[in-house]
Amino acid sequence: MTAHAEPERELETETETMTVREAIRQALREELDRDEDVYLVGEDIGRFGGVLEVTGDLWEEFGDERVRDTPISEAGFMGAATGAAATGTRPVVELMFSDFAGVSMEQIMNQMAKMRYMFGGKAEMPVTVRTTEGGGMGAASQHSGTIHTWIAHFPGLKAVAPGTAAAAKGLTKAAIRSNDPVFVFENKMIYEQQGAVPTDEDFTVPIGEAAIEREGDDVTVVATQRLVGESVQTAESIADDVDVEVIDARSLYPLDTETIVESVEKTGRLIVADESPLSYGTHAEIVARVQEEAFFSLDAPIQRVGTPDTHMPFSPPLEQEVLPSGEDVREAIERVA
């Protein structure tokens, strides 16, 4: 048994420009190389290279034992990974689309999330679940949901949602090294987004730590996934009029409340931009924490940018109508600045 969780750390190091997809694949390759107890499981991740080509050529490099194709049974392979993690291995599950989590929710909610608690802390659960979410591909409602709030809600589970290539690599590696179950939510529309990614094999992003992607003094935008890049672009386009600070939340649970509150205490204005439905979700959690800890710093009502409380339409024009965008962030800024 060689599995060992190392302290999470973020290093200053040389970088290479790569896409989010390439950054995740590099993270998987490095962790497969580093720890023989790490292996990948999921539908079509082997010879096919993944439905969205994230695992790519890893099967050719590591073979069937380390990159395992599974039957089309989310409940089956999620349960198998949960049991295997309880024995000390480090499975990395690819759940093809996050909407399919419903099929395997018994294994996630009642086994994976509760096993450490039910056994008095004696059982570790080092399992990582990678999954895609979000609209924009015309893939209809059963392949376009944004469910990360659902998972972040359950005690015993951690949830991260990177918005940059560097965060995608660092959080994936941190998840695999964690001794707790971690869900990595990958927005499928930013797989081709490029960014500078540290090449150091020990680079990780600490789970529970946000990143300030653009500094500013007038308005704070806390964004996730695709909306991080679009919020930065929006901020740059209006920089002559409003100085916007953009924070990539990166980790949904645990949430880096301290970084968000410090920013709001500086700017006095907050916008939360997340693709999940607006009601009872990520937006509400961030708003509540700021209300509790920085209410008297607020100079304007907090604004939310997200998907209306509806499923994602199949029709491309309707899909674009409901998807939140950088333009929605700009309008929210104009309402409070």
Side-chain angles (χ1 to χ4, degrees):
M1 185 83 52
T2 59
H4 47 277
E6 295 184 353
E8 296 169 336
R9 56 181 176 146
E10 193 164 11
L11 305 176
E12 293 294 334
T13 183
E14 294 183 359
T15 62
E16 178 183 342
T17 299
M18 62 182 71
T19 65
V20 169
R21 178 186 287 110
E22 292 168 339
I24 296 169
R25 189 183 304 148
Q26 185 178 82
L28 296 172
R29 176 178 286 111
E30 289 177 358
E31 294 307 297
L32 285 164
D33 270 335
R34 187 186 69 88
D35 188 340
E36 66 182 19
D37 286 330
V38 174
Y39 60 97
L40 316 183
V41 295
E43 299 159 349
D44 291 333
I45 66 168
R47 293 175 185 271
F48 189 64
V51 68
L52 294 173
E53 304 177 354
V54 175
T55 49
D57 59 355
L58 294 178
W59 174 82
E60 297 173 0
E61 187 173 347
F62 293 95
D64 288 325
E65 291 297 314
R66 308 289 302 283
V67 184
R68 299 187 179 190
D69 280 321
T70 67
I72 304 175
S73 174
E74 287 79 10
F77 63 72
M78 197 68 76
T82 300
T87 71
T89 63
R90 293 183 179 274
V92 181
V93 179
E94 179 174 307
L95 185 62
M96 191 180 290
F97 295 96
S98 62
D99 308 80
F100 301 167
V103 181
S104 54
M105 210 56 196
E106 158 60 21
Q107 297 301 325
I108 295 170
M109 184 179 73
N110 278 327
Q111 306 302 329
M112 186 187 296
K114 297 178 180 176
M115 195 169 292
R116 181 193 287 272
Y117 176 79
M118 298 286 285
F119 287 108
K122 296 179 179 178
E124 295 183 334
M125 187 51 59
V127 56
T128 299
V129 180
R130 295 181 39 250
T131 187
T132 63
E133 59 179 4
M137 292 182 63
S141 61
Q142 293 178 333
H143 301 76
S144 304
T146 300
I147 70 154
H148 49 237
T149 297
W150 194 25
I151 296 299
H153 173 75
F154 284 108
L157 302 177
K158 296 179 179 178
V160 300
T164 66
K169 177 182 178 182
L171 287 170
T172 300
K173 289 168 68 70
I176 295 171
R177 298 184 189 193
S178 172
N179 286 331
D180 294 313
V182 182
F183 279 69
V184 182
F185 290 98
E186 304 164 3
N187 184 286
K188 63 176 76 73
M189 297 308 294
I190 62 171
Y191 275 137
E192 285 298 305
Q193 176 181 300
Q194 291 188 327
V197 178
T199 56
D200 191 316
E201 293 184 359
D202 285 327
F203 165 75
T204 63
V205 170
I207 295 172
E209 186 174 292
I212 298 174
E213 292 295 325
R214 184 186 190 280
E215 294 187 352
D217 293 324
D218 297 333
V219 178
T220 298
V221 176
V222 177
T224 65
Q225 300 177 311
R226 173 179 57 82
L227 289 172
V228 173
E230 295 193 19
S231 294
V232 170
Q233 292 177 1
T234 297
E236 295 294 342
S237 71
I238 60 176
D240 291 340
D241 301 315
V242 187
D243 193 15
V244 179
E245 181 150 293
V246 179
I247 296 174
D248 180 0
R250 299 199 301 196
S251 177
L252 305 176
Y253 190 89
L255 180 68
D256 185 357
T257 307
E258 181 178 356
T259 295
I260 296 170
V261 166
E262 286 180 355
S263 179
V264 173
E265 288 175 340
K266 176 177 63 174
T267 65
R269 295 169 174 82
L270 173 64
I271 293 159
V272 183
D274 179 74
E275 193 176 314
S276 63
L278 283 167
S279 294
Y280 299 95
T282 298
H283 309 81
E285 182 61 31
I286 295 173
V287 170
R289 296 192 185 203
V290 170
Q291 294 272 16
E292 290 168 352
E293 299 192 26
F295 176 77
F296 293 104
S297 296
L298 290 169
D299 296 322
I302 299 173
Q303 303 291 304
R304 297 177 296 167
V305 174
T307 299
D309 295 339
T310 181
H311 300 296
M312 198 56 61
F314 177 58
S315 160
L318 293 179
E319 183 180 43
Q320 291 304 312
E321 178 66 23
V322 303
L323 275 176
S325 67
E327 178 62 16
D328 296 312
V329 174
R330 184 186 63 78
E331 292 175 359
I333 293 171
E334 290 178 349
R335 289 195 293 269
V336 298

